[in-house]
Amino acid sequence: SKLTELETQRMIDECVNKRIREEMEKKDATIDAEVCRRVENAKQILERQMKDELNAKKMEMDREMAEQEEAHQTEIQSLQAIIEQLKSEQDEAKLRLDEERLEVVEAKRKIEEERQALEKELKKKEKMIQNQILGKSDSNSRPRISFGMKKK
């Protein structure tokens, strides 16, 4: 009886241990499946977050690029306006300079004409005075003095 009792107890223990092992294996498989499911979910969430973060960074970079491009376009337009203004000022200055040169040339021409007219007038007056002195003028001259012995 004691032997049977021991044998029974041993069999019961074996059955209980076997049952515990089977339950543990079932639990392990369930736990493994749950862990895998949770890991997969966490992986998907992380991938989605990273994708969203990358998209947000890309959008921010695109926005910054657009702002920079707009700033560059504004600066280019400003510089082009300055260039046009400077060209216009240069053209105006060139026109003024050409006009001034023309005025100077015209003034020189007038001065030269006046000088030539004065010179001509002086020569004319000198010739007239010389003719008067020499008695060669037409009506205003003094009568000729003759030293000859002619009879009149």
Side-chain angles (χ1 to χ4, degrees), residues 79-111:
L79 291 174
Q80 285 175 339
I82 290 170
I83 288 171
E84 289 300 317
Q85 182 181 1
L86 291 174
K87 280 183 182 178
S88 174
E89 289 174 6
Q90 182 184 16
D91 291 344
E92 289 174 13
K94 188 177 183 294
L95 283 175
R96 282 194 305 271
L97 185 62
D98 290 345
E99 288 172 0
E100 289 173 5
R101 283 183 184 155
L102 189 60
E103 288 173 6
V104 167
V105 167
E106 185 65 25
K108 282 182 179 180
R109 187 189 61 78
K110 282 183 181 180
I111 290 171

Side-chain angles (χ1 to χ4, degrees), residues 32-65:
D32 284 347
E34 182 64 21
V35 166
C36 285
R37 188 187 64 78
R38 287 184 182 181
V39 166
E40 189 62 33
N41 284 343
K43 180 181 170 186
Q44 288 175 357
I45 290 170
L46 190 60
E47 284 176 352
R48 195 176 325 112
Q49 287 175 345
M50 289 179 72
K51 189 176 181 181
D52 291 345
E53 198 175 303
L54 285 174
N55 283 336
K57 283 184 181 180
K58 183 184 179 293
M59 288 174 59
E60 178 65 20
M61 287 176 68
D62 289 346
R63 186 188 59 76
E64 287 176 4
M65 292 282 283

Side-chain angles (χ1 to χ4, degrees), residues 129-137 142:
I129 291 171
Q130 197 174 34
N131 283 339
Q132 276 182 346
I133 291 172
L134 295 174
K136 291 184 178 179
S137 58
R142 57 183 169 76

Side-chain angles (χ1 to χ4, degrees), residues 68-79:
Q68 286 179 353
E69 186 174 336
E70 185 178 332
H72 288 158
Q73 287 297 327
T74 303
E75 186 176 350
I76 286 170
Q77 289 172 351
S78 172
L79 291 174

Side-chain angles (χ1 to χ4, degrees), residues 116-134 137:
Q116 287 176 357
L118 283 174
E119 208 173 87
K120 188 177 180 181
E121 186 68 29
L122 281 174
K123 283 184 182 180
K124 191 175 178 182
K125 281 184 182 181
E126 281 179 14
K127 188 149 183 130
M128 191 175 78
I129 291 171
Q130 197 174 34
N131 283 339
Q132 276 182 346
I133 291 172
L134 295 174
S137 58

